[in-house]
Amino acid sequence: MSPIPSARAQRCAAASLVLLTLLASASMPALAAAPRDSDDQDKEIVVNGTKLVPVRANDARQTTTISAADLQASPNTNVVEALARIPGISVSATEGLSPSEGNHGGIDGAARGTSNFVSIRGLSGSYNVNLLNGVNAAQGMPYSRNISLGLLPPIGLRQIVVSKTSTADMDGDAVGGTLDFQTPTAHDFGKSLNRIYLQGGFSQLAQDYHAPAASYLGQAEFARQFGADHAFGIYATGYYGKRRFAATQLDFQGGQWGYAVSVGKQGTNPDGFNREDNLILKSANAQFSRGEERRYGGAVSLDWHGAATSLWLKATHARSDIQQQIYQKGIQAGNYPAPVLRPDGLYHNGESDGEYHYWFETAPANSQLSSVQLGGETQLGRLVLRSNSFYSYGLSAAPDHAEITYLAGTANDLNGPFQVSYRNHYPIPLLSAAQLGRLNDNSLFAYQVGSGEYTAATSSAKVYGSKVDAVYALDGLVREIAIGAKFSRSERSSDNVDYSNIDFVPLTSTLSNSTLFTGQVIADKTYYPYTLPTGNAAELTRLAAAAAAAVTLSPDSRYKNVLAGNENVAAGYALARMQWGALEIQPGLRYENTVIHNRFWSKASSAGQVSGFQTNRSANHILLPSLHLVLRSAGAGVFRAAIWRSYSRPAFFQLGGGRTVKRNTDGTFSVTEGNPNLRPMTSTNYDLSWEQSGRVYRVSAAAFYKDMNDYMYDRGTDYRSTPATVTNDTTVSKPTNGGHAHVYGLELDGEFRFRDLPGALSGLGVAGNVTLQRSAARLLDPTTDAVQPMAGVPQTLYNASIFFNPARFETRLSYHFNGRLLSKYKFGTTGGALMSEWTQATSSLDLSAAYVPMPSLRLVATVSNLLDNVSFYRTVGKDAETVPQIVRAGRQAGLSLTYSF
């Protein structure tokens, strides 16, 4: 079986199910329920415990709501995986746009076996607004405006509202869309609620490798209403859990790939040779990863509903602590070039030998997202006043990272040419029995002096502010006028201290005699039978931290990654709602003013200058008009059209990244620094949609187009762009905006229930959705192709499921496909569109089965990734397979119990 999950058979089967769903849904208007009064159109329809999403008649925006029941209907490790099942949403394990993601945010992050980041209509989380109960969530990541949402479990939420269009009363910095994670209140239930949720599970791959494999999660909920007319309510929930994971990985050493045939020895690609087809791999590193994630948190809601006034206090907290170890044994041949001159003057490149490497590292990660808000609403006749004040804190840290390297001696290297074959997309080094024996002889691997490293990285943010809204009801054409204002302040701080080239084990240490290593596994039982000593991560961290504490860094080394800043955003809006027969018109105008201050370390670039902290200031203001139209037809459904402006501010790092200086071999200097004059990316957005629902079906279609200017993108290794100024012997580079970009797409979604079939078969149903997207961007960089697809935009997404809900049972088989996307641009002599890095398509087939013996008890069994597909697959080149990164995290199984009393 091929490990790559985009196999044709899987795609065809899933696509057929999606098509069947959409055709069945569209062909059944005669079975629609009779038209309902407008007052009833937002009520839930509950059938066998699973609701059909009704037409959102009173919402002018294009939105999708995921209920608490939806979150538990499929095997989701976190809320990100639940979001992946709705149209227009793509998810990833890695951020993809971070300049320092490296392996920690890249392949090692993918090895944790879950998705963490959400893209809406092709735009990464950096272009989204994330809300907790309607207020801004703090953006705690160090190098972007993204938020790692994987710390949120799929429990304890009332619903998630995904808004793909924005009205004037919403934050304007949402080029992609807005995600609002909402927790319950006591008034969402009856007079009281007592509920517990218990979950247990295991990782099959961890179990296969005799690593800790069991997982568990527990949650308790409490809700009460009291006082006259039950005006007062209190809701509280808390959860705690631990998830174990393991993964096999295939990686390549940075820079150890090139052209098989080149101009000059290991030079540039010759004319007439396709770059993708001309690639050669110079290293193959087999890795095994294991670890655990501890998650805990909760939510509290206090609310009071009076005759004309309501007050509420809401607080949320979510924390994730990950401990991860990565073990690698690889063959690296980049230091043994063996080019052969061809008759045409070109060189055929190869490697005459290879080095045996072993590497052990820890990859811890701490994340936190918390919020609190106090708000209220008062109705004074036709006037409704709303206000709230809020605070949110976000943390993204990688503390206590330690690593160490061991090498085989020169006499025990490959001792022959480095050659690979390919099997199921995996590069397999061709090793003789003697070569494999030396690779697996751990006594030959000696500690590499100066290979120890210890880093401590942390980034945090807090955001606080207030907003007020006033809505006045009118008669006639204009039914409602709303105005409002909002002020928020964000404070950011990040630091990354690196202690490299330190020694903290005996210099004569080997893999076989070091006390660091306590066990052994096979790197990959299918492809790489390489023995990997497994180690004591706590001891490695302790030794590395002690060695780092004895080192005194220079100020330039200690503070080079320190960045602090604050951002003040003041906004105001006006919005009208007009009704003309069945047509609703909502024009609006929003104004936002942003001022950002940054403080960063600046390294002296020449004699007479002094290194030290510096500051800069950025400001922008923007008008954001919008127009939303809604046409409601009793027989034909709901039609929506919208046009609105939005924008995205540059990341703090792009604006205020500290100045770094590199002395070149010719004596000149290269300086990189932030650019406070970066412009925000602006977008004019267009949206058309239609939806219809009936007794046994629902169906919807949406088309969108986003026209963007001043495109912001990652240049591959950092945020720097082409040289900005050259003075004497110094070249200064700063990040710059790209040019025009656009993305457009089509979303189809449907569900059909065979309710008219006899007996238990009436519980049968199908559901599915398809998203098709295309994009293009002008990069304005002479070292690569002028026009390329936008980074992070998958061309195809789809979900398909078949479910069966007879009486007290509920079974669902679902398939998710996440299409390939350009993940990183490549620049320079090995750059160009053909050399960009692409994250290839991944998919998962999942199964869940529920049994409800009584209304108060629900039992659920789940298995995710039934076909054991790879979870991450990235290549250099869109269609090439020569230089890959591959992660397989295996199957996950679980059992859960929900009991109310």
Side-chain angles (χ1 to χ4, degrees):
M1 179 181 64
S2 170
I4 305 306
S6 56
R8 180 175 298 176
Q10 296 181 42
R11 292 198 305 265
C12 292
S16 298
L17 183 52
V18 173
L19 184 60
L20 171 64
T21 301
L22 298 174
L23 290 177
S25 302
S27 65
M28 295 300 294
L31 297 179
R36 296 174 294 167
D37 294 335
S38 59
D39 291 340
D40 295 330
Q41 287 181 320
D42 284 333
K43 294 180 180 178
E44 292 184 349
I45 304 171
V46 180
V47 181
N48 289 342
T50 303
K51 74 181 181 65
L52 282 171
V53 180
V55 173
R56 301 176 298 276
N58 294 329
D59 195 345
R61 298 169 297 162
Q62 168 70 2
T63 62
T64 301
T65 300
I66 304 177
S67 70
D70 298 330
L71 289 171
Q72 296 186 31
S74 299
N76 303 309
T77 302
N78 56 36
V79 298
V80 175
E81 295 176 356
L83 286 164
R85 303 181 190 277
I86 65 176
I89 300 292
S90 57
V91 301
S92 65
T94 66
E95 186 182 10
L97 297 178
S98 168
S100 66
E101 77 166 10
N103 277 358
H104 292 180
I107 187 173
D108 292 344
R112 295 167 184 166
T114 60
S115 297
N116 292 295
F117 301 98
V118 177
S119 296
I120 301 177
R121 289 181 165 176
L123 278 300
S124 79
S126 296
Y127 304 111
N128 299 335
V129 169
N130 294 283
L131 306 176
L132 297 170
N133 289 316
V135 300
N136 298 87
Q139 300 166 338
M141 299 198 70
Y143 297 105
S144 79
R145 293 184 176 273
N146 214 335
I147 293 179
S148 177
L149 298 171
L151 80 164
L152 299 174
I155 59 172
L157 291 173
R158 173 176 172 265
Q159 62 182 15
I160 306 172
V161 179
V162 182
S163 299
K164 299 174 184 176
T165 66
S166 298
T167 49
D169 56 338
M170 301 170 64
D171 286 350
D173 56 329
V175 179
T178 301
L179 296 168
D180 190 2
F181 300 90
Q182 301 176 6
T183 57
T185 70
H187 289 91
D188 293 323
F189 308 98
K191 297 179 181 179
S192 65
L193 170 74
N194 298 290
R195 184 160 60 193
I196 60 172
Y197 174 86
L198 300 175
Q199 181 190 77
F202 74 97
S203 162
Q204 183 186 23
L205 190 62
Q207 186 181 55
D208 290 345
Y209 278 83
H210 306 291
S215 299
Y216 60 86
L217 179 67
Q219 180 203 18
E221 289 181 285
F222 167 87
R224 289 290 186 276
Q225 297 178 28
F226 53 92
D229 298 322
H230 307 290
F232 292 92
I234 179 172
Y235 169 83
T237 184
Y239 66 88
Y240 180 90
K242 185 174 289 187
R243 181 183 67 88
R244 267 97 177 207
F245 56 86
T248 63
Q249 304 169 246
L250 182 279
D251 196 11
F252 59 88
Q253 190 74 7
Q256 291 198 345
W257 56 271
Y259 297 116
V261 177
S262 65
V263 178
K265 299 178 180 180
Q266 298 195 344
T268 58
N269 188 70
D271 293 338
F273 283 73
N274 182 284
R275 287 189 170 193
E276 287 186 308
D277 297 335
N278 192 31
L279 292 181
I280 186 173
L281 183 65
K282 304 178 184 180
S283 70
N285 300 312
Q287 298 182 182
F288 174 74
S289 177
R290 66 181 182 181
E292 64 180 36
E293 177 183 22
R294 182 173 63 112
R295 292 187 296 187
Y296 57 92
V300 174
S301 174
L302 304 174
D303 57 298
W304 172 71
H305 290 221
T309 300
S310 298
L311 299 174
W312 61 81
L313 173 67
K314 299 179 181 180
T316 66
H317 175 72
R319 174 85 183 198
S320 167
D321 296 320
I322 295 175
Q323 297 296 326
Q324 181 183 14
Q325 305 94 49
I326 296 99
Y327 310 95
Q328 178 196 96
K329 186 173 278 189
I331 305 171
Q332 299 174 11
N335 294 328
Y336 301 90
V340 176
L341 183 65
R342 293 162 39 118
D344 57 5
L346 302 176
Y347 281 87
H348 186 85
N349 295 299
E351 301 295 323
S352 62
D353 206 338
E355 299 172 352
Y356 291 165
H357 287 234
Y358 172 86
W359 178 55
F360 171 31
E361 73 155 353
T362 63
N366 298 336
S367 302
Q368 182 176 322
L369 191 58
S370 306
S371 73
V372 61
Q373 65 165 299
L374 175 64
E377 176 180 304
T378 298
Q379 184 161 358
L380 303 172
R382 291 174 175 260
L383 178 65
V384 177
L385 298 175
R386 303 186 187 97
S387 66
N388 70 2
S389 297
F390 57 89
Y391 172 87
S392 178
Y393 174 79
L395 171 71
S396 178
D400 298 325
H401 160 71
E403 63 181 67
I404 193 169
T405 301
Y406 287 74
L407 300 179
T410 302
N412 300 303
D413 288 344
L414 190 60
N415 288 332
F418 177 77
Q419 296 176 315
V420 297
S421 64
Y422 287 84
R423 178 157 56 97
N424 291 337
H425 309 278
Y426 281 83
I428 310 297
L430 300 180
L431 303 179
S432 67
Q435 290 171 327
L436 179 60
R438 288 197 301 270
L439 184 62
N440 286 332
D441 186 350
N442 293 323
S443 66
L444 301 179
F445 286 77
Y447 169 65
Q448 183 183 11
V449 177
S451 70
E453 184 176 11
Y454 175 82
T455 63
T458 184
S459 177
S460 64
K462 55 185 178 181
V463 56
Y464 51 90
S466 297
K467 65 176 182 177
V468 60
D469 303 273
V471 182
Y472 191 78
L474 298 167
D475 298 320
L477 176 64
V478 180
R479 299 294 180 87
E480 200 171 78
I481 294 177
I483 60 173
K486 178 179 178 180
F487 175 81
S488 64
R489 178 181 175 87
S490 300
E491 297 178 358
R492 301 281 298 271
S493 177
S494 65
D495 189 12
N496 187 348
V497 187
D498 185 1
Y499 298 88
S500 300
N501 308 119
I502 55 177
D503 294 308
F504 45 82
V505 298
L507 302 186
T508 58
S509 171
T510 68
L511 287 184
S512 58
N513 65 26
S514 173
T515 57
L516 274 178
F517 305 104
T518 57
Q520 185 170 281
V521 297
I522 299 298
D524 189 311
K525 296 178 180 179
T526 303
Y527 300 100
Y528 303 105
Y530 308 161
T531 58
L532 288 176
T534 54
N536 186 329
E539 181 65 7
L540 175 66
T541 301
R542 186 189 69 80
L543 292 172
V551 175
T552 301
L553 297 176
S554 68
D556 283 335
S557 296
R558 170 61 187 86
Y559 301 116
K560 64 181 180 180
N561 293 318
V562 171
L563 175 64
N566 60 71
E567 177 178 74
N568 297 324
V569 182
Y573 77 89
L575 176 68
R577 185 172 72 86
M578 298 181 286
Q579 194 74 40
W580 185 26
L583 178 65
E584 179 181 331
I585 307 171
Q586 283 196 20
L589 181 65
R590 186 177 184 89
Y591 170 78
E592 292 198 4
N593 182 77
T594 303
V595 179
I596 301 174
H597 293 90
N598 276 305
R599 182 174 182 265
F600 52 90
W601 184 259
S602 180
K603 183 177 180 180
S605 59
S606 60
Q609 293 184 343
V610 178
S611 299
F613 285 104
Q614 292 188 8
T615 61
N616 65 23
R617 178 183 184 274
S618 303
N620 61 75
H621 55 87
I622 189 167
L623 279 173
L624 304 169
S626 62
L627 177 64
H628 287 68
L629 306 175
V630 184
L631 179 64
R632 301 176 178 89
S633 171
V638 177
F639 300 84
R640 291 182 175 85
I643 177 173
W644 76 102
R645 290 273 288 168
S646 58
Y647 74 110
S648 181
R649 309 178 191 100
F652 277 62
F653 178 78
Q654 292 175 292
L655 298 169
R659 172 181 288 190
T660 60
V661 181
K662 176 183 177 182
R663 185 182 180 92
N664 303 315
T665 55
D666 59 0
T668 63
F669 294 89
S670 296
V671 179
T672 58
E673 61 187 12
N675 182 7
N677 297 316
L678 273 178
R679 298 178 297 277
M681 186 176 78
T682 58
S683 179
T684 302
N685 312 284
Y686 306 86
D687 186 90
L688 289 172
S689 66
W690 165 78
E691 59 182 307
Q692 172 75 296
S693 68
R695 185 177 68 88
V696 297
Y697 76 97
R698 63 173 176 82
V699 63
S700 66
F704 66 91
Y705 180 85
K706 296 180 180 294
D707 187 46
M708 292 163 278
N709 288 307
D710 296 319
Y711 175 54
M712 292 183 295
Y713 62 94
D714 177 3
R715 198 174 179 270
T717 56
D718 54 30
Y719 279 120
R720 310 310 174 193
S721 191
T722 51
T725 60
V726 179
T727 305
N728 297 328
D729 61 351
T730 301
T731 300
V732 180
S733 298
K734 299 180 180 181
T736 60
N737 291 98
H740 175 263
H742 67 263
V743 59
Y744 59 93
L746 176 68
E747 301 167 357
L748 303 174
D749 186 25
E751 180 177 318
F752 181 78
R753 295 176 181 271
F754 298 92
R755 195 165 304 286
D756 295 320
L757 292 178
L761 291 177
S762 63
L764 185 65
V766 292
N769 58 70
V770 177
T771 302
L772 305 174
Q773 300 176 142
R774 297 293 184 270
S775 67
R778 293 189 177 275
L779 303 185
L780 303 185
D781 192 308
T783 65
T784 188
D785 295 66
V787 179
Q788 296 188 44
M790 290 178 59
V793 181
Q795 293 187 350
T796 306
L797 305 164
Y798 55 83
N799 294 276
S801 65
I802 181 168
F803 52 90
F804 185 49
N805 302 340
R808 297 175 179 177
F809 293 90
E810 179 179 332
T811 303
R812 180 180 295 264
L813 181 67
S814 57
Y815 180 85
H816 170 68
F817 178 87
N818 207 94
R820 69 179 174 185
L821 56 88
L822 191 157
S823 52
K824 188 164 291 186
Y825 299 116
K826 286 289 187 179
F827 300 84
T829 57
T830 58
L834 290 177
M835 292 297 96
S836 294
E837 291 186 12
W838 285 76
T839 300
Q840 301 294 331
T842 55
S843 65
S844 179
L845 182 67
D846 309 313
L847 175 67
S848 63
Y851 173 55
V852 186
M854 60 185 73
S856 60
L857 180 63
R858 179 181 176 88
L859 304 171
V860 181
T862 63
V863 181
S864 60
N865 195 18
L866 276 166
L867 301 181
D868 196 18
N869 292 329
V870 301
S871 53
F872 181 83
Y873 178 36
R874 180 175 290 182
T875 61
V876 175
K878 179 179 181 180
D879 298 307
E881 299 174 352
T882 307
V883 188
Q885 290 179 319
I886 304 175
V887 176
R888 184 173 67 90
R891 300 179 182 90
Q892 306 285 329
L895 291 171
S896 68
L897 175 151
T898 305
Y899 180 60
S900 302
F901 56 96

